[in-house]
Amino acid sequence: MPREVEPSLNERQFFANALQENIRLDGRAFDQFRALELEFGDEYGVADVRLGKTRVHTHITAEVTTPFPERPFDGIFTITTELSPMTSPSIEVNRPSETETLLSRLLEKTIRRSGALDTESLCLIAGSKCWSIRADVHVLSHDGNLVDASCIAVIAALQHFRKPDTSTEGEQVTVYTLREREPVPLSLLHFPLCVTFSFYGEGVLGKGGDEEGEVVLVDANLMEEQLREGSVTVGINRHGEVCQIAKLGGVPIDAVTLLHCVNVAGVKVKELSKFIAGRLEADAKKRDKGGLMAELRADNDRVS
Amino acid sequence: MPLDTSTYSLALLRLDGRRWNELRRLTAQISTQAAADGSSYLEMGNTKVICTVTGPSEAKATGGNRSGGDKADVQVVINIAGFSGVDRKRRGRRDKRTQEMQTTIANAFSQSLFTHLFPHSTILLSLHILSQDGSLLAALLNASTLALIDAGIPMRDYICACTAGSTSSYSSNDEKADPLLDLNNLEEQELPFLTVATLGDTDDVSVLVMETRVQIGRLEGMLAVGVDGCKQVREILDQVVRKRGTKILEASQL
């Protein structure tokens, strides 16, 4: 199994010395995200996120299937993650790595378990027909912080996606093609996003005898991720509801510091949500050339 | 079956008769398996787990070592018995939730054990879950701590874990929501909760896992109650270890 190339001793020491002088190697502040770019594809539901050099591509698809027997009133929503050797040299084909397992679990907890997508709205005929929405996350390039980037990609793609319009008469469901009726956006209840914090303690910084002892960085790139001693991923939405917290081992951190991280995450998520909303609006304007969208809308006005 | 919380505000007692800050009955035994290097059996209420430790032993030649060999590698294997839950379900080892728990436990102990004393070795923790009634990850961490102590592997401090929750659901804004300590299965399905593990008596949090939605204002209360609960757990675990130590001393003085 190919091992990841670890940073050399020189790089480690350089990094540690820089941290002790409150400098981050790429010049960012300790709580600053990298440059974030979000692009949508021509089809609905395709989002491409670039967070520094990390690149994630998400594709949302929908099809009509039968619901699970124990949940006849809910539709199906699955998130699948694909990491290929294109992502990083240490990933093998068809071999689920720990990175992939954790990424898919965190996305699942943040987006699926917290109910971002209203599965009851996906039901067509209780017990026999429902929509199955599938989000495929392809990580194209791994330069650290896959979780945050993937989460942004999935949420943006879900907001961008339009599913075909349907009408039900008794037991019959008619699914209109894109030419017959304009597609309908998904019903999203809230938009959870993730922020990952990386911790560096005595093992990395050495026994410098500083007052704080721990350094906390937001949005670590690949080298910072390899050198970190612990991390916590906070999934939170812009209303201040924490959807999940995952500190899966790693160096023990004071509880007060963790709460502080959660608060910082809340602030960051508000900024990210605004950014995503701005991009969605720009994309909508680009598609709505002649003001036709307002007339062709098939969904009712929502009371919000 | 939805949780009946209607009586909580009247008597401030939960369904099993506990108050908000009471742990369930936590009992443990150490050295339960003579064949393993270290072993333990732990019960938190009705959650029962067995842990055996093998190691430190020679690492396999194949497979990339994560730290390049200068530290011991902690590996965790979890086996959830089919009869442990309410429905009989056979879970494969490839289950992602199980893998996440394995990674969590391995990462937690990699930081607390003195792994630099055993380069090029593997410490294998094998956990078996016999009965699930809430606080699963917490019970696994506690059982692992005891088994590692029994195996004689030096560590910084105990890793003690417990769960904490909140009586209100995520949307309501009532100020009367109490944080709860040590939730059972029924409460975990209905209420927001988190699992927290601390390093001994300190406030340093080693593991924090929350999978349910909760308002950010409630989080502080839940975390504080959780950390306090971990301190109580440490006392109990310490008593178990000391009792075993006393027995060994008595046996050796014959």
Side-chain angles (χ1 to χ4, degrees), chain A residues 3 6 98 100-101 104-105 109 113-114 190 229 236 240-255 258-259 262-263, chain B residues 64-66 68 94 96-97 99-100 103-104 107-108 111 170 199 203-216 219-220 223:
Chain A
R3 252 180 68 193
E6 287 190 6
E98 199 183 292
E100 202 247 313
T101 310
S104 101
R105 277 292 296 170
K109 284 194 277 189
R113 269 203 66 162
S114 71
H190 67 115
E229 293 190 312
I236 194 170
E241 286 171 353
V242 181
C243 301
Q244 64 94 15
I245 301 182
K247 181 184 191 300
L248 307 177
V251 70
I253 296 290
D254 193 38
L258 279 178
L259 285 171
V262 175
N263 287 327
Chain B
N65 295 349
R66 268 187 279 167
R94 295 257 166 222
K96 285 198 175 151
R97 183 171 153 248
Q99 285 188 329
E100 189 195 2
T103 311
T104 306
N107 286 342
Q111 290 288 336
Y170 61 88
L199 195 66
D203 276 344
D204 291 340
V205 169
S206 166
V207 174
L208 175 57
V209 178
M210 187 174 80
E211 297 177 0
T212 44
R213 249 199 295 183
V214 83
Q215 288 282 348
I216 202 172
L219 192 59
E220 197 178 327
L223 195 52

Side-chain angles (χ1 to χ4, degrees), chain B residues 94-150:
Chain B
R94 295 257 166 222
D95 185 28
K96 285 198 175 151
R97 183 171 153 248
T98 315
Q99 285 188 329
E100 189 195 2
M101 282 199 285
Q102 288 173 182
T103 311
T104 306
I105 300 174
N107 286 342
F109 285 105
S110 301
Q111 290 288 336
S112 83
L113 298 176
F114 287 149
T115 46
H116 57 271
L117 294 176
F118 309 107
H120 299 282
S121 337
T122 306
I123 300 172
L124 177 64
L125 278 162
S126 185
L127 291 153
H128 294 261
I129 300 166
L130 304 174
S131 167
Q132 293 185 57
D133 188 28
S135 300
L136 183 59
L137 183 59
L140 292 173
L141 286 163
N142 293 333
S144 308
T145 301
L146 288 178
L148 286 166
I149 292 178
D150 185 40

Side-chain angles (χ1 to χ4, degrees), chain A residues 18-252:
Chain A
L19 275 190
Q20 279 173 341
E21 294 178 18
N22 283 339
I23 300 174
R24 215 163 155 179
L25 287 189
D26 50 9
R28 288 184 280 157
F30 280 12
D31 62 350
Q32 194 183 347
F33 264 82
R34 287 172 282 181
L36 175 61
E37 278 169 38
L38 173 58
E39 275 167 22
F40 296 102
D42 285 336
E43 272 181 47
Y44 282 119
V46 176
D48 195 308
V49 169
R50 249 178 277 223
L51 186 61
K53 287 198 207 146
T54 300
R55 193 161 165 195
V56 176
H57 186 94
T58 307
H59 199 124
I60 313 273
T61 45
E63 68 167 359
V64 181
T65 54
T66 46
F68 292 128
E70 62 262 13
R71 286 174 195 271
F73 299 106
D74 282 334
I76 302 175
F77 175 41
T78 45
I79 304 178
T80 52
T81 51
E82 311 262 339
L83 268 68
S84 64
M86 176 169 54
T87 315
S88 153
S90 62
I91 308 238
E92 279 179 351
V93 185
N94 288 339
R95 187 126 174 232
S97 59
E98 199 183 292
T99 322
E100 202 247 313
T101 310
L102 287 180
L103 174 64
S104 101
R105 277 292 296 170
L106 284 170
L107 284 179
E108 165 116 6
K109 284 194 277 189
T110 310
I111 302 179
R112 217 169 74 95
R113 269 203 66 162
S114 71
L117 179 59
D118 181 19
T119 42
E120 279 190 23
S121 70
L122 299 176
C123 177
L124 291 168
I125 298 177
S128 65
K129 283 199 175 49
C130 70
W131 282 112
S132 166
I133 305 285
R134 195 188 141 109
D136 284 295
V137 179
H138 294 264
V139 181
L140 302 175
S141 164
H142 178 21
D143 190 34
N145 209 3
L146 292 180
V147 180
D148 298 1
S150 309
C151 208
I152 295 173
V154 174
I155 293 290
L158 282 173
Q159 290 177 267
H160 188 248
F161 181 64
R162 302 279 181 270
K163 67 179 201 282
D165 195 11
T166 57
S167 73
T168 16
E169 288 135 24
E171 289 293 314
Q172 292 278 10
V173 174
T174 335
V175 178
Y176 297 104
T177 63
L178 294 175
R179 270 181 294 167
E180 293 175 338
R181 281 211 201 164
E182 280 299 313
V184 165
L186 292 172
S187 160
L188 293 165
L189 298 173
H190 67 115
F191 311 112
L193 291 171
C194 277
V195 180
T196 303
F197 299 85
S198 307
F199 303 117
Y200 303 87
E202 276 183 6
V204 169
L205 298 177
K207 303 215 167 45
D210 248 21
E211 343 80 51
E212 275 178 26
E214 294 146 2
V215 173
V216 181
L217 296 182
V218 170
D219 186 22
N221 60 25
L222 186 59
M223 189 189 74
E224 292 171 344
E225 234 180 60
Q226 285 170 325
L227 293 175
R228 72 180 172 199
E229 293 190 312
S231 75
V232 67
T233 300
V234 180
I236 194 170
N237 65 23
R238 63 166 192 243
H239 305 294
E241 286 171 353
V242 181
C243 301
Q244 64 94 15
I245 301 182
K247 181 184 191 300
L248 307 177
V251 70

